[in-house]
Amino acid sequence: MILKGDQSTIRSINRALVLNLLRQHGALGRNELAERTRLSSAAVTGVVAELIEQGWVIEGRSGPPRGGRPPVLLEIAYDAWHAVGVKVMEDALEVVLTNLRTEVVARNHVQLVSTEPHALIEQVVVEARALLEASGRSPERLVGLGVGMAGVIDPAEGVCVYSPFLHWQEVPVRRLLEEKLSRPVHLDNDVNALATAEMLFGWGKDACNFAVVTVGRGIGAGLVVNGEIYRGASGGAGELGHTVSEAGGRLCECGKRGCLEAYAAEPALLAQAKERFPEFNRHRFQIAELLEAAEGGHEGVRALLKEAGERLGVALANLVNLFNPELIVIAGEGVRLGAEFFGPMEQSLRQNAFNGLARDLEVHLDPWGDDAWARGAAGLIIQREVFARPLL
């Protein structure tokens, strides 16, 4: 319960209401903000004045008249502020500087010097500062730094509970970074980072319940329930790649058998192609060559992609049956697998979903860029520091 005297909390809630309406609908006048928020005109005027003074909102063009003088439209000052996003990989860092729309201002990709936690944290700090300095942007307008990485993450504490690629356990990433940067830091699973960015400015901007499914080096899912990222009891929700596709089946990198990743992730596709087709059984066989073979009419490769796509489709049908999302966004470097993979995936999804649950379901392939993971990480800190409502 909010006490009437808690004016600071009320102002914070009203501030979030106004900023999120401007994010979702674009430029709006004060009267329209009052109507949409159901706040008094005086309350909206006070919130807007504070946001303008702090540099979060600017007055723009005049809107269409509404029975009197044309209203002055208000917009978020997207380019006046910036955030750093970092995707931590098993051998490299992708670092971006973005505006508040998660549009990239500057970026850098560097190989990891070390995977030892303190050394890696120091490299993140050096790269973030270098990118900020090279861009000429003011450090005072940096809202903070977001970090996305694979594994089990406790975002509330900012701790990497377990990273399978870095072999980390219980590493206090947020504390270590904030001590060095003196700026807010937010850490989360990399797929949840992508889901946050989709929720802010992507396909999920107008959706309350949706999933972002990533395909590539692994397979994961970021789940948004009632407009909030769902993380589960210990931060491990969304391990779609480790749901069982075939009991007792192929050995997965996680050590168990029959996981979806052991059939439909890119490394698994390459491994199966080498096993089935002698012409591919060489050391440096790559996904690009697999796709070239499919495009060139290699029926065996096409069948492999179809089988893997159908397996993913069954897993997504199970997700739909349990979760009933209105939208699924497919992202990750694996979007390059194309129609030979994703056509059978969607057909299998719709065939295996429970009656009616997939009827109005939207499925979108998100165009992929090398900086997408890091942009998602920037979205983490932007959501937390700019658009999140205060916890009550």
Side-chain angles (χ1 to χ4, degrees):
M1 177 182 292
I2 302 172
L3 301 178
K4 289 185 177 179
D6 191 357
Q7 292 301 316
S8 175
T9 302
I10 293 172
R11 278 199 307 274
S12 295
I13 292 172
N14 292 346
R15 175 185 184 276
L17 279 172
V18 168
L19 285 172
N20 279 292
L21 279 171
L22 294 175
R23 174 182 61 82
Q24 290 177 303
H25 301 287
L28 297 171
R30 288 170 176 80
N31 287 342
E32 190 167 1
L33 283 171
E35 291 170 6
R36 289 177 180 267
T37 60
R38 298 184 180 178
L39 297 172
S40 68
S41 295
V44 168
T45 297
V47 170
V48 166
E50 185 176 283
L51 290 170
I52 291 174
E53 182 182 358
Q54 294 172 349
W56 296 104
V57 167
I58 54 176
E59 292 184 317
R61 65 188 187 279
S62 296
R66 303 182 71 189
R69 289 190 304 173
V72 176
L73 299 183
L74 302 161
E75 303 174 64
I76 295 172
Y78 287 108
D79 293 317
W81 299 84
H82 37 274
V84 172
V86 181
K87 160 65 170 172
V88 180
M89 295 168 275
E90 54 194 308
D91 59 356
L93 297 174
E94 184 76 28
V95 188
V96 297
L97 184 71
T98 77
N99 64 11
L100 293 187
R101 278 198 186 95
T102 72
E103 296 167 336
V104 175
V105 174
R107 60 174 290 216
N108 198 11
H109 181 93
V110 294
Q111 295 300 304
L112 286 179
V113 174
S114 169
T115 58
E116 190 278 324
H118 286 86
L120 192 152
I121 292 295
E122 182 60 34
Q123 189 174 4
V124 169
V125 171
V126 168
E127 294 301 327
R129 286 174 174 164
L131 208 59
L132 189 61
E133 184 176 351
S135 73
R137 298 297 180 104
S138 167
E140 285 72 31
R141 288 297 179 108
L142 179 68
V143 299
L145 182 143
V147 181
M149 58 191 302
V152 179
I153 307 297
D154 180 349
E157 297 298 324
V159 172
C160 173
V161 178
Y162 172 64
S163 167
F165 300 138
L166 299 178
H167 307 292
W168 286 6
Q169 287 188 311
E170 302 297 337
V171 177
V173 175
R174 186 178 70 201
R175 177 176 63 78
L176 294 173
L177 282 170
E178 288 185 340
E179 286 174 355
K180 292 177 178 292
L181 288 170
S182 300
R183 282 289 187 276
V185 172
H186 192 40
L187 171 74
D188 208 338
N189 176 274
D190 51 3
V191 185
N192 286 342
L194 279 182
T196 299
E198 287 288 350
M199 182 170 60
L200 288 175
F201 301 109
W203 292 107
K205 188 169 74 168
D206 298 318
C208 288
N209 298 281
F210 69 94
V212 174
V213 174
T214 56
V215 181
R217 173 70 176 78
I219 296 173
L223 308 176
V224 176
V225 179
N226 294 329
E228 300 286 343
I229 299 291
Y230 177 74
R231 297 181 172 87
S234 60
E239 289 291 348
L240 184 67
H242 298 290
T243 56
V244 177
S245 182
E246 185 171 318
R250 293 178 62 85
L251 181 66
C252 180
E253 287 185 347
C254 74
K256 299 186 184 299
R257 288 191 173 273
C259 296
L260 177 63
E261 268 187 26
Y263 294 91
E266 287 189 352
L269 292 173
L270 292 176
Q272 291 171 95
K274 287 181 178 183
E275 293 166 9
R276 296 186 189 185
F277 315 117
E279 65 268 34
F280 299 138
N281 194 8
R282 56 184 185 275
H283 179 60
R284 292 193 171 275
F285 180 53
Q286 302 292 326
I287 281 291
E289 297 172 77
L290 187 75
L291 297 180
E292 285 175 11
E295 291 170 5
H298 194 300
E299 292 302 324
V301 171
R302 286 184 170 181
L304 172 61
L305 291 172
K306 179 176 183 289
E307 291 167 17
E310 287 173 344
R311 285 184 183 273
L312 178 58
V314 169
L316 293 181
N318 289 332
L319 182 69
V320 167
N321 293 346
L322 288 170
F323 171 48
N324 189 206
E326 61 205 275
L327 166 71
I328 295 177
V329 179
I330 308 293
E333 59 272 21
V335 296
R336 61 188 167 181
L337 295 173
E340 299 285 349
F341 181 90
F342 290 109
M345 178 209 77
E346 185 163 1
Q347 185 177 15
S348 177
L349 159 59
R350 297 191 185 278
Q351 284 177 344
N352 289 284
F354 186 67
N355 290 346
L357 293 188
R359 183 182 57 201
D360 297 321
L361 175 71
E362 295 182 36
V363 178
H364 293 290
L365 284 180
D366 208 21
W368 187 252
D370 290 340
D371 55 14
W373 288 112
R375 287 182 58 236
L380 290 172
I381 197 67
I382 291 169
Q383 162 66 12
R384 178 179 173 181
E385 295 298 315
V386 182
F387 295 111
R389 297 186 182 187
L391 295 176
L392 304 180

